[in-house]
Amino acid sequence: MILRTLRLLYWPVPSDLDQNRTDIANFLEYGFPLSCEGSCSGLSEEKNHAGARSHPDDMRKYLKKECTYGSIIGPFFSNPFNTDMVISPLNSVPKKDTLDRRVILDLSFGVDGEDSVNSHISKDLYLGNPIKVSYPSVDSLVELIRRKGSGSLCFKRDLKRAYRQIPICPGDWHLVGFSWENHIFFDRVLSMGLRSAAYICQRVTNAVSFILDAHYDLQIVNYLDDLAGCDVQEKAFDAYAILGEVLDNCGLEESVEKAAPPSTSMVFLGILFDTVSCTLSITKDRLEEILYLVKSWLQKERCSLRDLQSLLASHEFQVKGRHLSGEANRIADMLSRWDMDPGVSTEFLKLARVNAWKEIELDDDLFHFTSPWKLELPLVKIKESPLCPYNAYNRMCTLIPADGDKPAFLIPQSEGYKTLCYSFFQKRLRDILEMCGLNSSKFSSHSFRRGGATWAFHSKVPSELIQFHGDWRSDAYKVYLEFDLHDKLSISRAMADEILT
């Protein structure tokens, strides 16, 4: 299995970011929730679209590749989860300039045309918080070129398999199922066809843009997986190298063959930029292609969903669609979703690190968790303290009894249990903080790691043990430590005493 792990320690910690991005490191580590509210219905039998059924060899090739990357789990013969799974149909469309096909999971397909996964994902909310999905335009790069001046050099880098590198929260894997040749699979990374995928991908590259701006004073234009920049000739090659270095440090895999080193002319978002003549133009080949396309479509009286998918996959920046309010029209809906989510070019992957603690040993004084990667953390009793983890865990087991082979942390439901996932824990934590009169926007689940490291430091725990206890692979935990005035005064006094001696 080939896995590329995002180097989480390089990503900004919450204190570096505004509230919209405080959870980026957590989401990258534990997976992005899909923000699907309510129950969805799926297929009762395998019923893929013609674009998949008519190309079985391409579909088998796709499944083999995704299994190799670790992007999907399966095959299964039945539901592997303790909650209802949702199976959606597969489709495929031809890729431009290649014989390969792009595989799409039709998450807008529901029973009787309704109740699909995408129908339960809001365009205006993510995990209950209002969002505004916006992308840079051609004008964004024009403004950057204007600031750098005529003759400046443009450059760009492109992420490889962009959606397929971003992990999904394991608590949502059951929502992105599909079936092929009577075998069931589930995506572990963002699905092509998922309504919230573009917002999530843009959020990731927004964080990359923040790192470049905050730490290198380098501004870029990031449109989903495309990252473009511009600088004066003396600095452009260094800026281009820094962009590549930051992507590598973040663990983001680059599509090297699509990179464009510094030049006075560059194609970005389908437009040719020329910084010498200060002009924008469509390339000759692209223009001829569009004119032929318009002519052929003017002769059509009707079209199929497959035709539109093929059209949009090949011409995503020239064709726009808008959903007609109040119209129950799947094709119009697909067009409007594609306009929000035009990033159908590249994808990337990361192994979802699942903290599903399963082996629990107890005795009279302590218990310890054994994680899937054999990390053992003993937690001793804190007698006569409401913060005793031993008593808290035993009380939870009493209130939520479950079989010994179940995950340690579960949520009781009307039918069985659901594994506690990040999104539920985060929402519940903030609800409790609000009930306590605290500003929940200043806290996240990551606060426990920061607070734990700080508390251990103040408890005189050696740095090597703090690193081990927090499962950090380096000493990056030190950026989480918070020092009070007493700590800072001790440093100044020590330096003053040294001067006197």
Side-chain angles (χ1 to χ4, degrees), residues 492-501:
S492 298
R493 286 169 179 163
M495 295 171 67
D497 291 343
E498 185 66 24
I499 292 174
L500 293 175
T501 58

mmCIF file of all heavy atoms in Angstrom, residues 492-501:
data_model
loop_
_atom_site.group_PDB
_atom_site.id
_atom_site.type_symbol
_atom_site.label_atom_id
_atom_site.label_comp_id
_atom_site.label_asym_id
_atom_site.label_seq_id
_atom_site.Cartn_x
_atom_site.Cartn_y
_atom_site.Cartn_z
ATOM 1 N N SER A 492 14.533 36.224 32.528
ATOM 2 C CA SER A 492 15.233 37.509 32.635
ATOM 3 C C SER A 492 16.141 37.545 33.863
ATOM 4 O O SER A 492 17.266 38.052 33.813
ATOM 5 C CB SER A 492 14.210 38.648 32.708
ATOM 6 O OG SER A 492 13.435 38.690 31.534
ATOM 7 N N ARG A 493 15.657 37.007 34.987
ATOM 8 C CA ARG A 493 16.465 37.006 36.217
ATOM 9 C C ARG A 493 17.689 36.127 36.076
ATOM 10 O O ARG A 493 18.781 36.469 36.567
ATOM 11 C CB ARG A 493 15.591 36.543 37.378
ATOM 12 C CG ARG A 493 14.579 37.605 37.832
ATOM 13 C CD ARG A 493 13.567 37.046 38.787
ATOM 14 N NE ARG A 493 12.634 38.089 39.229
ATOM 15 C CZ ARG A 493 11.463 37.833 39.795
ATOM 16 N NH1 ARG A 493 11.080 36.580 39.988
ATOM 17 N NH2 ARG A 493 10.673 38.831 40.159
ATOM 18 N N ALA A 494 17.505 34.973 35.410
ATOM 19 C CA ALA A 494 18.651 34.086 35.217
ATOM 20 C C ALA A 494 19.722 34.762 34.371
ATOM 21 O O ALA A 494 20.926 34.653 34.651
ATOM 22 C CB ALA A 494 18.185 32.788 34.558
ATOM 23 N N MET A 495 19.298 35.495 33.332
ATOM 24 C CA MET A 495 20.256 36.197 32.479
ATOM 25 C C MET A 495 20.938 37.327 33.251
ATOM 26 O O MET A 495 22.149 37.566 33.112
ATOM 27 C CB MET A 495 19.540 36.741 31.247
ATOM 28 C CG MET A 495 18.978 35.646 30.337
ATOM 29 S SD MET A 495 17.913 36.281 29.015
ATOM 30 C CE MET A 495 19.097 37.190 28.042
ATOM 31 N N ALA A 496 20.145 38.019 34.104
ATOM 32 C CA ALA A 496 20.725 39.107 34.901
ATOM 33 C C ALA A 496 21.738 38.570 35.906
ATOM 34 O O ALA A 496 22.813 39.157 36.108
ATOM 35 C CB ALA A 496 19.603 39.849 35.624
ATOM 36 N N ASP A 497 21.394 37.418 36.551
ATOM 37 C CA ASP A 497 22.325 36.824 37.520
ATOM 38 C C ASP A 497 23.625 36.413 36.850
ATOM 39 O O ASP A 497 24.718 36.543 37.436
ATOM 40 C CB ASP A 497 21.664 35.605 38.190
ATOM 41 C CG ASP A 497 20.509 36.011 39.104
ATOM 42 O OD1 ASP A 497 20.433 37.204 39.469
ATOM 43 O OD2 ASP A 497 19.682 35.132 39.431
ATOM 44 N N GLU A 498 23.535 35.921 35.611
ATOM 45 C CA GLU A 498 24.719 35.495 34.897
ATOM 46 C C GLU A 498 25.627 36.680 34.588
ATOM 47 O O GLU A 498 26.863 36.580 34.641
ATOM 48 C CB GLU A 498 24.320 34.769 33.605
ATOM 49 C CG GLU A 498 25.485 34.170 32.831
ATOM 50 C CD GLU A 498 26.165 33.040 33.594
ATOM 51 O OE1 GLU A 498 25.509 32.427 34.472
ATOM 52 O OE2 GLU A 498 27.349 32.775 33.324
ATOM 53 N N ILE A 499 25.012 37.831 34.284
ATOM 54 C CA ILE A 499 25.811 39.043 34.027
ATOM 55 C C ILE A 499 26.565 39.466 35.278
ATOM 56 O O ILE A 499 27.743 39.840 35.230
ATOM 57 C CB ILE A 499 24.889 40.181 33.538
ATOM 58 C CG1 ILE A 499 24.336 39.849 32.142
ATOM 59 C CG2 ILE A 499 25.632 41.507 33.519
ATOM 60 C CD1 ILE A 499 23.310 40.844 31.641
ATOM 61 N N LEU A 500 25.888 39.375 36.431
ATOM 62 C CA LEU A 500 26.514 39.792 37.687
ATOM 63 C C LEU A 500 27.664 38.883 38.104
ATOM 64 O O LEU A 500 28.606 39.308 38.777
ATOM 65 C CB LEU A 500 25.462 39.844 38.801
ATOM 66 C CG LEU A 500 24.384 40.930 38.637
ATOM 67 C CD1 LEU A 500 23.337 40.801 39.728
ATOM 68 C CD2 LEU A 500 25.029 42.319 38.677
ATOM 69 N N THR A 501 27.576 37.619 37.697
ATOM 70 C CA THR A 501 28.637 36.692 38.080
ATOM 71 C C THR A 501 29.784 36.710 37.073
ATOM 72 O O THR A 501 30.827 36.139 37.286
ATOM 73 C CB THR A 501 28.079 35.262 38.183
ATOM 74 O OG1 THR A 501 27.493 34.897 36.913
ATOM 75 C CG2 THR A 501 27.040 35.171 39.273
#
